[in-house]
Amino acid sequence: MSNRFCKLWGAMLMCFLASVAAAEDWLYTVKPGDTVWDISHKILKDWRYWDDILRHNNISNAATIQPGAKISIPLYIVREELSHVRVESVYGKAEVVFGNDGRKLLLKPGMSLTAGDQVITGENSTVLFSLEDKSSVLLQEQSELEFTRLTALGAKSQKSMDAKLKIRRGRMKMHANPLQVPDSRFEIHTISANSAVRGTNFRIGIEKESSRTEVLDGLVSVGNAYGNVDVPGNFGTVVQKNSPPLQPVKLLPPPDLEGFPALIRYLPAVVPLNSLEQAQSYRVQVAQDQDFQKIKLDRVVKGRLMLDHHLKDGAYFVRVRGVDGNGLEGNNASKAFRIEARPEAPMVRGPLPDKVLHVGSVGFSWAEVKDVKTYLFELAHDAGFTEMLEQSSLSGTDATIEFGDAGEYFYRLSSVTAEGRKGPPGKAIKIRVLPVPAAPQARPPAVEGDHLRLAWQEVDGVARYNLQLASDADFQDLIVDEQTADPWVQVPRPPSGYYYFRVQSIDAEGYVGSFSTPQRFEVEPASYLPLVLFVIGSVLLLL
């Protein structure tokens, strides 16, 4: 190790030890009427330490101490009392490990914690603590926090708080010294830096071997052996392990939540979040309360938030803040909203979207939904269901509707509970109802030499025709049964006799219409000479 490096490391170590030593002093603000002797009697363990105060602050004349002046008093001579932390609320699951005996218990509201106790929160869990001076700490999910020092300093009439907290992982939000009690101090220790706080509102988060501090108002001093920065309100800093703190960076403004829906009726729902140009991502929290102590969802998303079925119906609050390139989370924007997505609409079995149907009876069916008593079936001419044609409450999972006219129609279904609570309607499904293909009008059959020509009147909108020729009226003895796109067909001339002919239309969707009325016709013999000769021969035989 070079001599130069040793000197540099020694200088850094001396600076760090000096800051630690300073931290072991308590800064007391002199009040009007205070004298060294008054201060000694009020806040020291023994009033005879008054001379130590003068020496420690290089004060040669006790009468020169002025109101408002800060004097440094070693902690070992200050009167102090052990303080405690009260657990105000627990949402989700959290555990406490007691520092005195190592016991681990589930954390519950009303518990009192002391120095050395450690709290661990689970997924989607938060804990709210209050200190003796009304300071509050909100510990977020999957976090680990230890209260390393909890004492009240000074006079009994107005105690100042002296607290040290160590956050090993996760995130916390603290509102320190809300009553502005003079000379209170708070220290937050992380893996990469320590923060000194006297009265402010801030957030601290741990990411692997770095920590970030976001000051909402007030001032926080953040430092380590490599440097120190004072972070004012609306600024933040990031500290990597074994590195100096980043110079304070202004926090991003609140995002615009104008486009966030006040009512969500369908889950999953995707909500865009892209109102901040400098945001790399967004921290989104959904809670059941306006103070965000009962957080149901807490995640970082790029530009879209998906709300899924884990959120039950009810009232919620959403809080969103942008995250910049340093990982610092900006100012909050919040909004109230409701989820009313149950009971969910049933899954449609048929007819499916764009299904082509025909005038007449049409069957509808859908799946059964648990805890649903009835289903509301709605049929309309338009997707907005302003031109309603049918609205029926049905207890089963099928229905038959008679369509008298062709056209486009829309239908949808809603679920209704036994209490009468109607869920959101399902997606509107468009169906097309076509007219039934008309039966062609048959033309008289024509014998043309060795062929028989069968023809009929052409029908508009018909793709092809199905022709049947039979020797019996019941069309059991079929001679011809074929399809053609033309309104005529030519078949070999059958033997003379009586025949029956019918035809039916088939549209482009493959729907087969009804047969035309059967036509009876006669195919005469091609020549009567064989018949005449047969008659003459028969007569001669009889003579």
Side-chain angles (χ1 to χ4, degrees):
M1 185 180 292
S2 68
N3 186 47
R4 182 181 177 185
F5 182 79
C6 289
K7 288 181 179 180
L8 178 61
W9 176 251
M12 291 171 60
L13 184 61
M14 289 299 293
C15 291
F16 179 68
L17 292 175
S19 66
V20 172
E24 295 304 314
D25 287 348
W26 180 44
L27 287 178
Y28 176 77
T29 305
V30 178
K31 300 175 179 59
D34 270 351
T35 66
V36 173
W37 297 275
D38 292 331
I39 295 172
S40 300
H41 281 85
K42 284 191 302 183
I43 66 174
L44 299 187
K45 294 179 180 177
D46 191 321
W47 66 271
R48 286 169 290 191
Y49 283 122
W50 66 268
D51 195 43
D52 292 45
I53 297 177
L54 296 180
R55 286 197 306 270
H56 198 70
N57 292 273
N58 297 318
I59 300 173
S60 58
N61 185 357
T64 61
I65 300 178
Q66 298 296 318
K70 297 283 188 179
I71 59 174
S72 181
I73 306 176
L75 272 180
Y76 70 87
I77 65 173
V78 177
R79 179 185 297 152
E80 64 179 13
E81 294 179 6
L82 293 180
S83 186
H84 66 277
V85 169
R86 176 181 168 82
V87 180
E88 296 294 342
S89 65
V90 178
Y91 184 78
K93 182 181 178 181
E95 294 178 325
V96 56
V97 179
F98 293 106
N100 58 350
D101 56 12
R103 286 181 304 129
K104 181 186 288 188
L105 293 176
L106 283 177
L107 197 67
K108 296 181 179 180
M111 279 186 171
S112 181
L113 307 182
T114 58
D117 293 345
Q118 180 180 330
V119 175
I120 304 168
T121 57
E123 186 177 3
N124 293 327
S125 302
T126 55
V127 180
L128 178 66
F129 305 98
S130 65
L131 279 67
E132 195 172 343
D133 69 338
K134 307 302 181 184
S135 295
S136 63
V137 176
L138 182 64
L139 190 63
Q140 306 283 352
E141 65 170 352
Q142 296 179 322
S143 300
E144 189 174 334
L145 175 67
E146 180 182 350
F147 299 96
T148 57
R149 179 180 173 88
L150 292 170
T151 57
L153 304 177
K156 293 184 178 180
S157 59
Q158 190 176 41
K159 297 177 184 178
S160 298
M161 198 71 199
D162 182 23
K164 290 183 182 180
L165 287 68
K166 189 172 197 176
I167 179 165
R168 291 187 170 87
R169 62 183 175 95
R171 294 175 293 118
M172 59 167 278
K173 180 180 181 295
M174 184 172 187
H175 189 188
N177 195 15
L179 302 180
Q180 297 297 305
V181 176
D183 309 322
S184 289
R185 67 177 192 174
F186 304 85
E187 291 181 30
I188 314 298
H189 292 217
T190 71
I191 191 172
S192 60
N194 299 331
S195 299
V197 181
R198 294 199 176 273
T200 188
N201 194 4
F202 64 96
R203 301 187 296 251
I204 288 183
I206 307 297
E207 298 289 343
K208 296 182 180 179
E209 293 194 339
S210 69
S211 64
R212 67 175 190 273
T213 302
E214 298 139 4
V215 182
L216 305 180
D217 58 65
L219 183 73
V220 176
S221 181
V222 181
N224 55 20
Y226 300 88
N228 188 86
V229 293
D230 289 333
V231 185
N234 202 32
F235 281 78
T237 185
V238 178
V239 187
Q240 300 288 339
K241 188 177 181 180
N242 299 329
S243 299
L246 180 73
Q247 287 299 311
V249 177
K250 190 172 184 178
L251 301 181
L252 292 179
D256 184 5
L257 295 185
E258 184 66 28
F260 199 99
L263 177 63
I264 294 176
R265 301 227 66 192
Y266 300 95
L267 293 175
V270 177
V271 182
L273 302 169
N274 51 10
S275 63
L276 294 178
E277 185 176 348
Q278 293 177 293
Q280 301 294 309
S281 56
Y282 295 87
R283 167 77 65 183
V284 183
Q285 296 173 313
V286 175
Q288 292 177 305
D289 63 311
Q290 197 167 4
D291 296 328
F292 285 83
Q293 296 175 16
K294 300 178 180 180
I295 297 177
K296 297 288 292 181
L297 180 150
D298 189 344
R299 65 179 63 151
V300 175
V301 299
K302 285 294 183 183
R304 298 190 308 167
L305 169 67
M306 187 179 79
L307 301 173
D308 55 28
H309 293 84
H310 290 95
L311 293 174
K312 297 180 180 180
D313 284 5
Y316 293 93
F317 295 87
V318 63
R319 184 165 67 185
V320 183
R321 49 184 178 261
V323 182
D324 66 13
N326 297 306
L328 290 169
E329 300 181 5
N331 289 282
N332 292 316
S334 58
K335 185 176 182 179
F337 72 100
R338 289 191 60 83
I339 294 178
E340 295 179 4
R342 283 92 169 180
E344 296 180 13
M347 180 182 69
V348 171
R349 289 187 173 138
L352 298 178
D354 291 316
K355 175 71 175 178
V356 177
L357 307 166
H358 290 82
V359 169
S361 298
V362 175
F364 296 82
S365 65
W366 52 91
E368 184 178 358
V369 180
K370 184 180 178 181
D371 299 327
V372 166
K373 184 178 181 180
T374 59
Y375 304 92
L376 179 63
F377 177 89
E378 296 175 299
L379 179 70
H381 271 306
D382 62 313
F385 288 81
T386 59
E387 302 177 42
M388 196 75 71
L389 299 173
E390 177 81 20
Q391 197 171 34
S392 304
S393 178
L394 306 169
S395 58
T397 57
D398 56 70
T400 301
I401 303 296
E402 290 291 331
F403 286 86
D405 299 314
E408 284 190 347
Y409 296 86
F410 296 84
Y411 79 96
R412 66 185 183 185
L413 288 153
S414 305
S415 299
V416 184
T417 66
E419 297 78 26
R421 185 162 58 90
K422 175 180 169 294
K427 182 181 178 181
I429 297 178
K430 182 175 76 172
I431 56 175
R432 286 192 300 150
V433 177
L434 301 180
V436 174
Q441 183 68 40
R443 300 183 186 278
V447 176
E448 299 175 351
D450 293 335
H451 295 87
L452 174 65
R453 181 183 175 87
L454 300 172
W456 51 89
Q457 187 177 1
E458 187 174 3
V459 179
D460 291 338
V462 169
R464 59 192 188 278
Y465 304 91
N466 185 44
L467 164 78
Q468 289 185 342
L469 176 67
S471 59
D472 63 310
D474 295 329
F475 287 84
Q476 298 297 313
D477 187 12
L478 290 174
I479 299 172
V480 175
D481 186 6
E482 64 180 63
Q483 293 185 6
T484 177
D486 299 317
W488 59 272
V489 69
Q490 186 170 278
V491 298
R493 175 177 176 166
S496 58
Y498 288 95
Y499 295 90
Y500 298 86
F501 152 56
R502 67 183 182 182
V503 66
Q504 62 187 161
S505 300
I506 304 175
D507 67 11
E509 307 300 330
Y511 185 84
V512 180
S514 58
F515 277 107
S516 61
T517 302
Q519 301 292 316
R520 182 175 181 269
F521 66 96
E522 181 183 6
V523 176
E524 296 181 350
S527 172
Y528 285 99
L529 179 60
L531 179 60
V532 171
L533 293 175
F534 174 77
V535 172
I536 293 173
S538 299
V539 171
L540 291 175
L541 289 173
L542 293 173
L543 292 177

